[in-house]
Amino acid sequence: MNKNLFFRKPFEYKFFNASLWIIAINVFVFILTSLYPQLKTYLSLNVVLIVRHKMYWQFLTYMFTHANVSHLIFNMFGILFFGVNLEKAIGSKEFILFYLVCGILCGVLSFTGYYFTGGYRIFLLGASGAVYAILFAYAVVFPRSIIYIWGLLPIPAPILVLIYTVIEIFSQVFSSSNVAHLTHLFGFLIAWIYFVVRMGIHPIKIWKGKY
């Protein structure tokens, strides 16, 4: 990695459980929006509210807002299972930067898609884009890691990323659910770009064992 480039200057390694703080913030926001449901309107990402009412903070706050308990638990489990180990490997400061950059850019790309396809009534919320980015990063940092699906089925981390990519593409094309499949794919895409631009690492080469 060329450390002379300003955007590749590494942080001093420190670990202070940023993953757990992120989880705590998500839980706090969920409790807050449960007590005051109208807050979801202002914290979720919506094209009309951003364009007409200048609610630009939604590019950040949407990723800390969740629809229900199962939505929250699924995403927080992803941060706990993959994020903690990733944070230990790359350091807390790098992890926070990675999480926020991926989450915000997932929101920006999703907003762009909604804007040009007329998705003005959609309210995007949840940490899923950032969590998918964490999964991708985990597979790059720990390419030989084996993940046991349902505690039984062993799958290498890079293969799991490929499986999820296929599932999300298929779901985006054929599913009519309210799940933001395209945002999940943006998480993978932005994480890929982050490794190439910020770290000078090409994930495919990692997975092929060329580093």
Side-chain angles (χ1 to χ4, degrees):
M1 180 174 71
N2 186 351
K3 297 180 181 180
N4 294 323
L5 298 174
F6 76 93
F7 54 81
R8 287 187 179 171
K9 184 178 181 181
F11 294 112
E12 178 186 357
Y13 181 88
K14 288 185 179 180
F15 177 75
F16 46 80
N17 285 310
S19 312
L20 300 184
W21 282 104
I22 289 172
I23 291 173
I25 293 171
N26 276 276
V27 172
F28 173 75
V29 172
F30 180 76
I31 293 173
L32 202 59
T33 54
S34 297
L35 294 174
Y36 306 99
Q38 67 272 20
L39 274 178
K40 284 185 182 180
T41 301
Y42 296 98
L43 300 180
S44 303
L45 190 153
N46 175 263
V47 171
V48 174
L49 293 179
I50 290 175
V51 173
R52 292 185 182 177
H53 302 286
K54 315 300 181 185
M55 296 185 182
Y56 300 122
W57 62 80
Q58 293 183 349
F59 288 115
L60 172 65
T61 57
Y62 89 93
M63 58 191 286
F64 294 96
T65 311
H66 290 83
N68 50 52
V69 173
S70 60
H71 188 205
L72 175 71
I73 290 176
F74 179 83
N75 283 333
M76 295 309 98
F77 179 79
I79 295 175
L80 185 64
F81 187 85
F82 299 108
V84 172
N85 289 320
L86 177 64
E87 181 189 351
K88 288 178 180 178
I90 66 176
S92 297
K93 291 181 179 179
E94 190 70 47
F95 178 80
I96 292 172
L97 178 65
F98 175 80
Y99 187 85
L100 292 178
V101 166
C102 290
I104 291 171
L105 290 183
C106 278
V108 170
L109 291 180
S110 297
F111 167 85
T112 304
Y114 297 149
Y115 181 85
F116 286 106
T117 60
Y120 304 141
R121 296 183 179 181
I122 296 174
F123 283 81
L124 179 68
L125 70 168
S128 301
V131 170
Y132 272 67
I134 287 176
L135 172 59
F136 185 95
Y138 180 90
V140 175
V141 175
F142 303 103
R144 303 293 176 262
S145 177
I146 302 296
I147 299 168
Y148 287 84
I149 305 299
W150 302 302
L152 299 172
L153 184 62
I155 299 179
I159 299 300
L160 184 62
V161 169
L162 177 61
I163 291 173
Y164 268 109
T165 300
V166 173
I167 291 173
E168 293 300 326
I169 291 174
F170 181 87
S171 299
Q172 176 63 32
V173 174
F174 296 104
S175 174
S176 58
S177 70
N178 292 325
V179 177
H181 299 290
L182 198 57
T183 304
H184 299 168
L185 291 171
F186 287 151
F188 283 161
L189 174 64
I190 295 166
W192 180 299
I193 295 172
Y194 188 97
F195 273 97
V196 173
V197 174
R198 165 71 176 164
M199 298 184 172
I201 295 173
H202 294 268
I204 290 294
K205 291 183 179 179
I206 289 285
W207 295 332
K208 288 184 176 180
K210 292 185 178 181
Y211 274 94

